[in-house]
Amino acid sequence: MGLLALASVCASTAQARSTSTLDRLADALTAPRAQANQFASGSTYTLCFVPDGPSCQDMIIDAINKTRSKLLIQAYSFTSAPIAKAVTEAHQRGVDVRVIVDKSQVSERYTSATFLKHAGIPVVIDKRPAIAHNKVMVFDDQAVFTGSFNFTKSAQERNAENGMLIRGDKTVVKAYSDNWHTRFEQSTAY
């Protein structure tokens, strides 16, 4: 290869790198950004910290038991028998329950996804991302639970976890509901 040809290849490579860098920069500038917002006036939040504070599992079960019309769930890992029982009981009393789980739940030896599906609750798998790491419940379009707390026995009994139940903030609830529906549309049946 002659010197002129080598210079041409180097120039093309530099241009490709420059274009690639510009494309990444443009993507970063146009990507949605997180924004700080105020909680709605009159909204409330309740916190849980295990093992050193109030039980996240008890808070979730209490919220499920108070749910009357709709319960949306996103779960990375879902093996908690008490939470699964409360979800099934909500379904039996007429609550519209729908569940999204991570693809890892397909190969788990025990998962509440199987239990819930056998109870007649629609369960789907969010397969598109590498990990669907959400731990979210939306109650009656009025409240949201979120945090590090997986819906598992280990989360309640062995791990250091946290969670927050936010009530009465329509903007927060809508954001979580919208995200749930986006993930649901990209999921497949369990």
Side-chain angles (χ1 to χ4, degrees):
M1 175 181 283
L3 190 55
L4 193 52
L6 182 59
S8 177
V9 169
C10 288
S12 294
T13 303
Q15 184 179 7
R17 280 189 195 143
S18 175
T19 301
S20 177
T21 302
L22 289 174
D23 288 343
R24 284 194 307 268
L25 181 58
D27 288 345
L29 293 173
T30 59
R33 294 180 177 264
Q35 295 179 320
N37 295 299
Q38 299 283 328
F39 281 116
S41 178
S43 65
T44 62
Y45 65 88
T46 306
L47 303 175
C48 60
F49 298 95
V50 293
D52 303 316
S55 165
C56 291
Q57 179 175 279
D58 290 350
M59 185 169 73
I60 291 167
I61 290 170
D62 183 58
I64 294 168
N65 290 341
K66 292 176 180 173
T67 302
R68 296 293 166 242
S69 61
K70 182 166 60 170
L71 175 59
L72 304 177
I73 301 171
Q74 285 178 284
Y76 170 67
S77 184
F78 195 156
T79 61
S80 168
I83 294 174
K85 180 178 182 271
V87 169
T88 302
E89 289 170 352
H91 173 69
Q92 290 170 346
R93 67 175 182 271
V95 174
D96 175 16
V97 177
R98 290 181 270 159
V99 180
I100 302 171
V101 296
D102 179 66
K103 61 188 165 204
S104 65
Q105 295 300 281
V106 174
S107 60
E108 286 290 317
R109 194 178 84 197
Y110 172 79
T111 174
S112 292
T114 303
F115 177 77
L116 297 173
K117 180 181 176 185
H118 288 146
I121 296 169
V123 178
V124 297
I125 302 166
D126 192 349
K127 287 186 174 182
R128 286 195 82 193
I131 298 174
H133 209 241
N134 295 297
K135 298 101 172 182
V136 173
M137 291 191 186
V138 180
F139 309 92
D140 288 334
D141 291 325
Q142 300 294 316
V144 171
F145 173 87
T146 190
S148 70
F149 188 84
N150 282 301
F151 310 131
T152 65
K153 182 177 182 177
S154 291
Q156 181 60 38
E157 295 180 4
R158 292 195 294 236
N159 300 348
E161 305 279 359
N162 68 78
M164 180 178 353
L165 179 65
I166 304 164
R167 291 191 178 279
D169 191 318
K170 291 180 183 182
T171 302
V172 169
V173 172
K174 182 178 182 331
Y176 277 93
S177 291
D178 288 351
N179 183 67
W180 188 95
H181 287 287
T182 297
R183 300 307 327 145
F184 182 82
E185 292 300 319
Q186 298 178 37
S187 297
T188 58
Y190 178 74

